[in-house]
Amino acid sequence: MRKNNMNRRDFLKAGGVSTAALALSTTGLFSFSESKALASPSKSKGIVGGYGPLVKDPGGILDLPRGFQYRIISEEGGKLSDGRPIPEKFDGMAAFSGVDNSTVLVRNHELTGNTKYPVIGKNPYRKEHTGGTTTLVVGADRKIKKEYVSSSGTIRNCAGGATPWGTWLTCEETLEEGHGYVFEVDPNDPENKLSKTPIREMGAFSHEATAIDPATGIVYLTEDAGPSYLYRFIPNDRSQKIGSLQKGGKLQAAAIEEMSSDESSKFYSGQRFGVVWKDVDPDKPTAEAGDKGCIAFSRLEGAFFEGGVFWFDDTSAGDKDLGRVYRYIPATNTLELFYESSSANDLEMPDNICITPWGDLWIAEDGDGVDRIIGMTPEGETYVFAENKINDSELAGPAFSTRGDTFFVNIQTPGITFAIWGPFARKNAGRRRQMGHAAPPKPYAPQVSDKLSAFAEVEGMSDLEAAAFQRHGMPIV
C-alpha cells in the first residue's frame, strides 16, 4: 500500500534465520498457569492493564507479552490445498466456528492489476481482476487443515465484516467502473453464485468495512476516500439469512443537523443538534452525501459492532492527521468522539478494530513507522499487545476464534497470517457491553474546553458527543 517492505524471505536470508525455526515462536521464558489464563475480571491484572511489556521475539517477527505464543499458519506464495499459490496482500478477516472445534477464517486480498500471487478462482466476478478472498480451516491444534479460494475477480478487497449468520461481506475499495461493491461470501459454499453477485443497493463507492447490528439487521458501512462518509443500509429483508441482503434496501448517509422543535427536548434551551440519516442514491452515494451536507470524514477505515454500539475510526483525522475513533449508539442516536490522537507515541493512524472476547477495544495501527495492536480497557487503561518487527507493514484483520482462546491477525506485506494464544482473559459479555459506554483513557480522550463541556451539560449531551459535533463544524458554542 503506502510502503516498500522487505520481503520476508529476504529478511530471513539476511538474518541467517530459517523459516522452519520461525514456524513457532514463544515469547518470554515461561507461560502463565491455567488458573491465571482463566482468571476472573475482578482479579486478573492482565484484564485491567493489559498483559505486561512486550518480550523481544528471538525470530524478529512479532513481539508479544510474556507467556504468549504465535504460529505462522499461512504465507503468501505458499500452497493452497489444491496446489495453487496463496495470494498476496492479506487484509481484513473474520473467524467463524467450524466442525471438530476448528476455526474458519475468511481473508481478504487487497489486489488490483498484475501481481505475482493473484487470487485465481474458478467462478470469478470479473476474470481479468486479481482480488478476492481465501478461506482457511484451522484445526483445534492451530494448524491448517484446508485453505482455498472462496471468491475472486474483484478489486482491492480491503476490509469488510462478518455477518451474524456466518458469512463474510468483502468490500471493494475502488471507484473503477463496474466495481466498488460489497459481496457476500459463504465459506461453506465457496465461489458460489452469491460470491460473484454485487449487492448493488449497498452502494458503489470506495468501500472499507461493514458491521451489522444483530438487533435490527441494519448494516453500517465506512468509506475509504477523501472526503468519506458514514453509511447505513436498511435491508428490505431483515431475516438475517444468507442472501437476504440481496433483496434490496435503503442506503443512507449520516449528517449532523439542528433538530426541529418536535425532535428536541423542551427541557433544554438553545440549539439542539443530532444525527440524521439522509437517503442517498446507491449509484452515486458519495456525491449525494456531499450535496446533502452529510458528515465529511477524513478517511474512514475499521468498523465493529458490539453490545449495541457501532465502533469506527477515521485513520487520518485530527490536527496532526493521526486519527480518531468514534462510537455510534443506535438506541439513542448518539455519535461520540471516543479517541483523538495527539502524538504518534500514543496511537498512530487506527485502522482495523475489534472488541476482544473479554471486552477491551483493540486497534491495529497503519502508520508510517512501527505498527502495533493497541488495547484500551473499560477501566481507562491502555497497553500494547503486539508489534510488527519485520518491517513497517500494517497489521490487519484482527479476529478471535469464537471460543476466545486464539487471536488471528495478518501482516499485510509480505502476507503472513498468525495464530496467537496464551493467557487471554476469559469471555465476558458484560464487560464487552461496558466498553461501549465507558469513558476513554484520559491520555487518549478528545480535548474538550471548559466552555464546550459547560454547553454539553446544559444541553444534556456528553462531552464526547459535543466533541464529535464540534469537530465537524457545528456552531454549538
Side-chain angles (χ1 to χ4, degrees), residues 278-448:
K278 299 186 175 184
D279 294 349
V280 292
D281 183 343
D283 291 331
K284 49 182 179 181
T286 304
E288 285 212 352
D291 291 343
K292 293 185 176 185
C294 294
I295 307 169
F297 294 93
S298 178
R299 190 162 66 86
L300 294 182
E301 291 272 5
F304 201 84
F305 201 100
E306 179 64 49
V309 176
F310 171 57
W311 294 86
F312 65 101
D313 55 45
D314 193 343
T315 193
S316 57
D319 292 340
K320 297 187 178 181
D321 301 327
L322 294 175
R324 293 170 176 160
V325 175
Y326 295 84
R327 60 188 179 193
Y328 172 71
I329 305 170
T332 57
N333 197 36
T334 303
L335 177 67
E336 295 182 332
L337 175 57
F338 180 79
Y339 152 82
E340 185 170 48
S341 182
S342 58
S343 168
N345 292 327
D346 290 337
L347 195 157
E348 185 178 1
M349 303 188 77
D351 197 326
N352 295 160
I353 56 177
C354 70
I355 300 294
T356 69
W358 61 93
D360 291 355
L361 172 66
W362 275 17
I363 304 171
E365 292 181 305
D366 186 15
D368 290 331
V370 172
D371 287 331
R372 306 164 296 175
I373 299 290
I374 304 291
M376 298 186 183
T377 77
E379 294 79 16
E381 302 289 337
T382 63
Y383 58 94
V384 180
F385 177 76
E387 184 174 306
N388 173 12
K389 303 303 291 188
I390 291 183
N391 55 23
D392 57 0
S393 181
E394 67 182 280
L395 294 167
F400 280 86
S401 65
T402 54
R403 295 187 305 279
D405 61 352
T406 305
F407 176 59
F408 300 96
V409 70
N410 301 315
I411 287 179
Q412 188 179 74
T413 303
I416 302 171
T417 299
F418 300 90
I420 300 170
W421 67 98
F424 287 124
R426 60 186 173 191
K427 296 169 75 171
N428 188 328
R431 200 164 174 275
R432 292 199 300 272
R433 290 190 295 271
Q434 181 186 349
M435 188 70 227
H437 303 279
K442 289 184 179 179
Y444 292 74
Q447 297 299 307
V448 178

Side-chain angles (χ1 to χ4, degrees), residues 27-40:
T27 61
L29 301 178
F30 61 93
S31 295
F32 292 166
S33 68
E34 181 72 9
S35 61
K36 183 70 173 180
L38 299 178
S40 66

Side-chain angles (χ1 to χ4, degrees), residues 72-225:
I72 294 173
I73 60 174
S74 180
E75 296 181 77
E76 68 173 58
K79 290 186 178 181
L80 298 170
S81 297
D82 62 5
R84 289 178 291 174
I86 296 172
E88 58 191 307
K89 280 290 186 81
F90 297 178
D91 211 292
M93 193 162 59
F96 306 95
S97 292
V99 298
D100 299 326
N101 290 320
S102 66
T103 297
V104 179
L105 296 173
V106 185
R107 180 181 61 199
N108 274 1
H109 297 272
E110 192 181 11
L111 294 168
T112 182
N114 293 326
T115 181
K116 185 175 181 180
Y117 300 120
V119 179
I120 303 172
K122 299 175 182 178
N123 190 29
Y125 170 58
R126 298 279 177 85
K127 63 181 180 181
E128 66 271 22
H129 293 299
T130 55
T133 63
T134 51
T135 294
L136 299 73
V137 180
V138 186
D141 58 359
R142 303 182 178 93
K143 295 180 181 179
I144 291 292
K145 299 176 68 176
K146 191 176 181 181
E147 191 168 1
Y148 52 90
V149 172
S150 44
S151 70
S152 62
T154 46
I155 296 176
R156 291 183 64 86
N157 298 71
C158 190
T163 70
W165 52 93
T167 61
W168 168 249
L169 299 181
T170 184
C171 296
E172 291 186 301
E173 185 191 320
T174 182
L175 297 175
E176 183 167 324
E177 184 71 27
H179 290 270
Y181 293 116
V182 178
F183 297 79
E184 185 172 9
V185 178
D186 181 358
N188 298 313
D189 188 9
E191 299 193 84
N192 62 6
K193 182 179 179 181
L194 192 66
S195 74
K196 58 182 286 187
T197 306
I199 307 174
R200 296 183 182 275
E201 293 193 40
M202 291 180 77
F205 59 89
S206 187
H207 282 274
E208 179 65 26
T210 70
I212 297 178
D213 181 349
T216 63
I218 293 175
V219 185
Y220 294 89
L221 309 100
T222 59
E223 179 178 27
D224 190 346

